[in-house]
Amino acid sequence: MGWSISDYSKDDCKIVYIDIVSIDSTFESFIDKYIVNICFRDSAFSIKKAKKYIRDFIDTKDPDRKKGIVAEFFLHLYLNSIKMEQECLFKNLEENSPKKGFDGVYRDSDQNIWFIESKSGSAGSCSHKGKVQEAYRDLKDKFSSTTPNDPWLNAYNHLKIINPSDSLLDKFRTLSDDYDSGKVVDITEYNIGPCGTVYDDMGTKYVAELLGDSLIKYFEGKDFHKLFSICVTQRAISEFEEYLGK
């Protein structure tokens, strides 16, 4: 298939490395299995509609925004494929705008909640580790109630659409009140997923094991309950756009 995946773990820290090389027919069929759920969280919609939904979303003159959207999509694809439950919508509630809270909220098979943050950039101007570090700092800011937008209210509004009776809504409502009062939320009580995507069309070879070891060392002594970091090398954005147009 069009991507290869490896992972490295130590204690409560797990690093996953994904190299997306191409979008072949097998990978297209794989994406087809999840694209509707990622976009709408409702299987009644068609794959064709989901493709148009994303195509319209990335129809932007800002190349950095396009890369950010595609990076988030492939994180959602991976998380859906390992049977984590998506507790957020792909886009923000305002039409065609990026999310103003967490880039992803997920529930694992043990009912643990994970908060995902995605950062991306181009090879030559950034590294996987640098983008993961940036995502971690962003998560720290959100838990510290220092961001201009309330991430908990955003998470609440997304989940209310997906499952209006979910008991997690009460937790998000309380955390939103804490944000309004400037109260710092203790990040060591929460599971986080800082993720970094590097766009590389130069064929650079990255040593996944070295990257995993480096990030595990970086996160030693950092604040979190459990951490699940995904590093992606994206080499097939043009092929993905072609797939969306089929």
Side-chain angles (χ1 to χ4, degrees), residues 22-83:
S22 64
I23 311 291
D24 57 18
S25 59
T26 302
F27 202 10
E28 287 182 357
S29 298
F30 179 78
I31 297 171
D32 284 348
K33 289 172 57 178
Y34 299 103
I35 190 171
V36 172
N37 187 69
I38 291 170
C39 291
F40 306 118
R41 295 291 282 112
D42 187 337
S43 61
F45 289 98
S46 68
I47 294 171
K48 182 179 180 181
K49 185 174 181 63
K51 287 182 176 182
K52 182 180 185 302
Y53 184 82
I54 299 174
R55 199 166 63 244
D56 290 346
F57 193 21
I58 65 174
D59 184 17
T60 170
K61 295 179 181 179
D62 184 347
D64 291 334
R65 182 184 169 193
K66 176 185 291 188
K67 289 177 179 178
I69 294 166
V70 173
E72 286 184 32
F73 176 83
F74 279 92
L75 293 176
H76 286 299
L77 179 64
Y78 174 72
L79 292 168
N80 273 262
S81 75
I82 61 170
K83 310 305 180 187

Side-chain angles (χ1 to χ4, degrees), residues 1 3 7-8 28-29 40 43 45 47 72 84 90 98 102 114 122 129 147 152 155 168 180 189 197 204 221 243:
M1 196 164 62
W3 64 5
D7 61 78
Y8 309 89
E28 287 182 357
S29 298
F40 306 118
S43 61
F45 289 98
I47 294 171
E72 286 184 32
M84 292 185 74
F90 182 48
F102 300 104
W114 292 80
S122 298
K129 184 176 180 179
T147 54
W152 307 107
L168 187 58
D180 287 342
E189 297 179 1
T197 296
T204 308
Y243 158 79

Side-chain angles (χ1 to χ4, degrees), residues 27 37 69 72 100 140 146-147 184 206 236 242:
F27 202 10
N37 187 69
I69 294 166
E72 286 184 32
K100 297 177 181 177
K140 287 272 287 186
T146 58
T147 54
V184 174
Y206 299 93
E242 290 174 10

Side-chain angles (χ1 to χ4, degrees), residues 107-191:
R107 193 188 309 260
D108 65 25
S109 58
D110 295 320
Q111 301 302 302
N112 299 308
I113 302 301
W114 292 80
F115 298 95
I116 310 300
E117 188 66 34
S118 171
K119 299 296 180 184
S120 62
S122 298
S125 61
C126 70
S127 66
H128 296 92
K129 184 176 180 179
K131 286 300 170 181
V132 169
Q133 291 171 326
E134 184 182 347
Y136 175 74
R137 291 192 297 269
D138 203 345
L139 284 165
K140 287 272 287 186
D141 287 344
K142 285 171 179 166
F143 279 84
S144 299
S145 299
T146 58
T147 54
N149 298 299
D150 179 355
W152 307 107
L153 180 60
N154 190 270
Y156 175 91
N157 288 333
H158 278 242
L159 183 57
K160 190 174 181 180
I161 292 172
I162 295 167
N163 187 355
S165 61
D166 197 307
S167 60
L168 187 58
L169 290 169
D170 292 335
K171 181 68 172 178
F172 286 163
R173 189 183 301 111
T174 299
L175 290 168
S176 180
D177 289 340
D178 290 342
Y179 172 90
D180 287 342
S181 63
K183 182 179 178 180
V184 174
V185 179
D186 187 358
I187 197 172
T188 63
E189 297 179 1
Y190 293 87
N191 305 316

